[in-house]
Every structure is written in C-alpha cells, then in structure tokens.
Amino acid sequence: AFMPMYRSEPQKVEIREGKTTEITLELIPTFANADITCQDREAEIYIDGEFKAKGSFKGELAEGSHQLEVKKKSHRSIRKTINALSGQTLTENIDNLQAINGKLNLDSEPYDADIYIDGKHYGKTPNIISQVLIGDHQLTLKKDGFKDLQENIKIEEGKIAEYNFTLQEKPKFTEYKLIQTLKGHTNYAY
C-alpha cells in the first residue's frame, strides 16, 4: 500500500491455499505539521523556493530538511534550514524583517513645499530624510500658489539620493466680463 506522506511497517503474512488472509496495515505519517508565523503580516513565506503564504503558514511538510525563506520588498530576507520530523509539529516564529533604508536630500525652488512620499507627509523643503525604504517611490511636492509636482524617485542602500525641483506657478485667474451686444450675440472681454 502506498499513500503520499505515509509509510507502513513490513509485516509477515502467512498465505494458505484456498484461504483469504486479511491484512491490516498501520500507516505512519512521514510528514511534520508546520506552523510558521511572522510578526510582519505582509512578509512572504517560501519553502524550498515555493511561495506558501503571507504572514503565516500552516501545513504539512515532508520529513527531512527544507529551506525556509521569509522576504519582503526593501527588507533583509531571513533564510534558514528547518528540519521536519515525522508526526511532530515544526514551529517557527519569525521576527520583523530589517528594513533597508537610504537617504533623500530634497530641495525645491521655491522652498517650503510640503513633501509627500507615497502619500505620507515628511515635512517641508529643504529637507534631508534619512529613513526612506530603498526602491522606487512616488514623490509629491505641494505649495500654495503652485502646481503640485509629482515625480518618481529611486532610493538606494548606502547612497544619498539628491533631488532639486522647480515648482511651476499656477496660472492666475483672469476676470472677464460678459458683454451683451445690441444684436443679441455674446462677446467676452478680458
């Protein structure tokens, strides 16, 4: 008898001519129950290179050694070998992954513009922001009387990303008067 993730013990069976012999096989699990939990619910769990879940994974693992990797964008991955023992529960609790940060030195003309990175406010220009996750981000600068500026920026580990942007003034509102001519046509005078 064969069932994946189970085995049976060999047995001696006496076979007699003309008789039916019943055999009962005890199936013994050859897997462990895995219970892997990450403090960061967005962290991705991979076992032997295969994605399993985000945040936590509960399931069966074949007996033997496996490669566990927990990763998240812009964070340091955790890699370790785990050993699954038949019939036992394999429990792993993974701490928060370490963020990989870079620095941003940001200036604008005119200065004193509000800085938003991926929608989060980071003060006003000029500013040096030292804890920005590495990778690509959406930068928005806002200042009264000026058009919002949106740019994609890239932050790299161990480097200072320097950006200087010039904001464009909003067009001033032009008043116009409605002039009714004697013929009934409408003209606009600015």
Side-chain angles (χ1 to χ4, degrees):
F2 174 76
M3 282 184 67
M5 307 278 268
Y6 288 87
R7 66 177 170 80
S8 61
E9 292 292 331
Q11 292 184 17
K12 286 187 179 181
V13 177
E14 186 178 328
I15 299 174
R16 294 184 187 158
E17 186 177 337
K19 300 256 182 181
T20 301
T21 305
E22 287 189 21
I23 303 170
T24 303
L25 291 175
E26 182 184 349
L27 296 177
I28 301 164
T30 59
F31 61 86
N33 290 305
D35 185 356
I36 301 168
T37 305
C38 305
Q39 285 186 15
D40 186 335
R41 307 310 289 167
E42 293 299 311
E44 297 177 343
I45 299 169
Y46 290 79
I47 298 175
D48 298 328
E50 182 182 333
F51 174 75
K52 294 293 183 183
K54 273 189 177 185
S56 66
F57 168 73
K58 290 186 182 192
E60 297 172 350
L61 283 182
E63 183 175 42
S65 293
H66 299 275
Q67 295 303 312
L68 170 66
E69 182 175 15
V70 181
K71 57 187 175 179
K72 183 179 175 182
K73 182 181 176 186
S74 303
H75 289 72
R76 298 208 189 283
S77 296
I78 292 175
R79 294 176 185 88
K80 64 191 300 187
T81 300
I82 55 175
N83 292 305
L85 299 174
S86 294
Q88 295 188 10
T89 298
L90 170 66
T91 303
E92 288 287 333
N93 294 309
I94 307 295
D95 290 336
N96 281 326
L97 302 180
Q98 180 186 355
I100 306 172
N101 291 309
K103 291 185 178 182
L104 172 63
N105 184 357
L106 186 61
D107 203 353
S108 70
E109 177 62 41
Y111 66 90
D112 205 33
D114 284 297
I115 302 166
Y116 294 88
I117 300 172
D118 300 329
K120 183 179 175 187
H121 190 253
Y122 281 85
K124 294 180 177 284
T125 59
N127 200 343
I128 296 176
I129 305 164
S130 60
Q131 296 295 313
V132 182
L133 286 175
I134 62 168
D136 296 322
H137 298 278
Q138 177 73 45
L139 170 75
T140 305
L141 297 179
K142 295 183 177 195
K143 183 171 177 66
D144 287 341
F146 293 84
K147 292 180 184 178
D148 289 355
L149 180 135
Q150 290 191 338
E151 290 286 338
N152 292 320
I153 60 170
K154 185 175 187 71
I155 304 296
E156 297 180 77
E157 183 178 8
K159 295 183 180 178
I160 299 175
E162 296 193 33
Y163 292 94
N164 189 348
F165 295 105
T166 301
L167 302 176
Q168 300 296 316
E169 284 190 72
K170 285 183 180 175
K172 293 194 174 11
F173 177 72
T174 305
E175 290 186 31
Y176 60 88
K177 296 177 183 174
L178 195 58
I179 300 173
Q180 188 75 18
T181 64
L182 293 175
K183 295 180 180 177
H185 293 288
T186 303
N187 294 319
Y188 296 93
Y190 294 88

